[in-house]
Amino acid sequence: MKLIILDQTGVINQSSDAFIKTPEEWIPIPGSLDAIARLTHSGYRVVIAANQSGIGRGLLDMATYNAINDKMYKAVNQAGGRIDAIFFCPHTSADKCSCRKPATGLLDEIMQRYGVNLKNAPAVGDSLKDLQAAAAVGAIPMLVLTGNGQTTRTAKEIPAGTQIFENLAAVADALAGEE
């Protein structure tokens, strides 16, 4: 099974310092929906693994998060793509949970649910936490320069072997463009 793991905010949709708290605030990054469609058509199962501390901070509830995801699912479907599943951590860093990236709980859950090892699976993110979680399970960390990616690029702790791409469309070009 070809599986790709995407972070959500900063990879698929634009980020906000004030968090994405309503469906109206969810705005796709140009080219991201088409990129997911190309990955889908190339046989990838697209799975999201996202920290969503806005829930734990009380900035949005589960019904609102589900409405945001509904908007995303519909937009991706309209572009001809598919998101298989969303795995998310609703906790804040103060909770010290095992699912908040850079911990590997979300990725462990993906491996268990799909019955796969993530070794060499592409894992796309815009933050150091995304890259660290990917590297910890043997996935291929892929940094996009959208969202917080430009800042992350300058971090000294970027895992070895991290691949850097302009955006999700460039990731899709690299992974699906050759087929």
Side-chain angles (χ1 to χ4, degrees), residues 150-170:
Q150 291 286 358
T151 303
T152 302
R153 180 184 214 172
T154 64
K156 290 179 176 47
E157 306 88 13
I158 288 182
T162 296
Q163 298 177 18
I164 300 175
F165 297 89
E166 195 65 34
N167 51 33
L168 188 55

Side-chain angles (χ1 to χ4, degrees), residues 68-92:
I68 291 167
N69 289 335
D70 218 33
K71 180 179 178 182
M72 178 180 62
Y73 275 120
K74 287 177 182 165
V76 167
N77 287 340
Q78 279 186 323
R82 178 173 170 216
I83 294 171
D84 258 40
I86 298 175
F87 295 79
F88 69 97
C89 170
H91 308 111
T92 67

Side-chain angles (χ1 to χ4, degrees), residues 53-64:
S53 68
I55 297 167
R57 296 169 194 258
L59 299 175
L60 70 158
D61 57 21
M62 280 308 303
T64 304

Side-chain angles (χ1 to χ4, degrees), residues 1-111:
M1 172 186 352
K2 289 178 11 179
L3 188 70
I4 185 168
I5 300 159
L6 306 179
D7 183 46
Q8 192 168 4
T9 302
V11 174
I12 300 171
N13 60 279
Q14 295 179 6
S15 52
S16 166
D17 290 338
F19 293 88
I20 306 301
K21 303 174 295 306
T22 66
E24 295 75 30
E25 293 173 351
W26 186 90
I27 300 166
I29 292 170
S32 67
L33 303 179
D34 289 333
I36 293 171
R38 285 187 301 159
L39 290 164
T40 301
H41 292 283
S42 292
Y44 281 93
R45 294 183 90 168
V46 179
V47 177
I48 294 173
N51 289 344
Q52 293 293 335
S53 68
I55 297 167
R57 296 169 194 258
L59 299 175
L60 70 158
D61 57 21
M62 280 308 303
T64 304
Y65 183 58
N66 288 336
I68 291 167
N69 289 335
D70 218 33
K71 180 179 178 182
M72 178 180 62
Y73 275 120
K74 287 177 182 165
V76 167
N77 287 340
Q78 279 186 323
R82 178 173 170 216
I83 294 171
D84 258 40
I86 298 175
F87 295 79
F88 69 97
C89 170
H91 308 111
T92 67
S93 55
D95 293 325
K96 306 282 190 241
C97 65
S98 63
C99 55
R100 183 171 175 76
K101 294 181 284 183
T104 61
L106 292 177
L107 302 179
D108 294 337
E109 192 177 338
I110 290 167
M111 287 189 281

